[in-house]
Every structure is written in C-alpha cells, then in structure tokens.
Amino acid sequence: CGATGHPKPKIYWKRQHNLVFPFAPTQHVIQGESLSMSRISKEYRGEYICVADNGIGVPAQAHITLDVLYGPSIVSEEYYHHVMLGQPVTLTCKVFANPEPKVTWYKSTMKLMDGQRIVSK
C-alpha cells in the first residue's frame, strides 16, 4: 500500500471494526506500507484497511478483504439419541468450512436421500 503527498503521509494498517491483529493480539494499528502475515488461520479473515495520513484533509484509505479457505470441520451437539418407536427425531451437526461444503448423510454405508421421511438442510 503506497501513497504520495506533501508532507509525506504516514502509512499504517488497521482492521475493520477496530479488531486486533491475530498475530499481534494487543495491537489495533501496525505501521508500514506492507503487512506480512504467516501461518494464516481462520481468525485472519476479514477486512484490512491501509490508511495514509499526512495531517492535511481526510486520510486516504484502501480496503482489502482477506478470504481464508479451509476444509470442513464438524461439531455435533449430541452423539446419542433415545427415541420412541414412531416418533420423529432431528439429528444435528454443524459444519464449518470455506467455501461452504456439500453435506451428505449416511446410515452405515447407505447414502440417505431427501424425501418424505428425511429432510436435510
């Protein structure tokens, strides 16, 4: 992120909503024209803002969105259900991934298809 002006502007980075930087959890602002990050994790996703300010007028800003891709992880709320014969049951698992994955349900090795008795959302 570079900028020109007279006097020469100071350049710094910040995150949208004044979030701290994942790699510097106590900092809301980082000085410099470039922002280098390594060992990217999900917490790094979001909008980064480059600001150039020389004290004259309104500081110039450039917004850059970082989209972090990661494979699916599953969280199940319950691992075992007791259900009376003939009663309905809802099995729930939360899937986190980017991009959003396609979720398929199986009973043993048989793929379950949506129908009158099975609905997946």
Side-chain angles (χ1 to χ4, degrees):
C1 177
T4 59
H6 187 71
K8 183 177 174 157
K10 291 182 180 177
I11 298 175
Y12 62 91
W13 292 85
K14 62 183 185 175
R15 293 189 72 194
Q16 186 178 26
H17 307 301
N18 207 30
L19 294 173
V20 295
F21 291 87
F23 54 87
T26 60
Q27 292 186 275
H28 293 275
V29 172
I30 293 183
Q31 302 293 327
E33 290 186 7
S34 63
L35 184 63
S36 296
M37 298 177 268
S38 60
R39 296 185 181 173
I40 301 297
S41 66
K42 293 181 259 190
E43 291 74 27
Y44 284 64
R45 69 182 171 223
E47 190 167 321
Y48 292 79
I49 304 166
C50 174
V51 181
D53 187 2
N54 67 358
I56 309 292
V58 178
Q61 296 185 357
H63 295 249
I64 301 171
T65 300
L66 180 61
D67 186 26
V68 178
L69 305 178
Y70 55 94
S73 63
I74 297 174
V75 176
S76 180
E77 294 174 354
E78 296 182 37
Y79 292 96
Y80 195 84
H81 289 272
H82 294 280
V83 181
M84 299 281 293
L85 187 64
Q87 295 298 310
V89 65
T90 299
L91 306 179
T92 303
C93 75
K94 295 179 181 177
V95 181
F96 302 94
N98 186 24
E100 186 175 323
K102 178 182 180 218
V103 177
T104 305
W105 286 85
Y106 290 84
K107 180 180 183 258
S108 299
T109 59
M110 181 187 249
K111 182 177 178 180
L112 301 176
M113 306 299 276
D114 281 351
Q116 291 180 339
R117 295 178 53 200
I118 298 172
V119 178
S120 63
K121 301 179 196 177

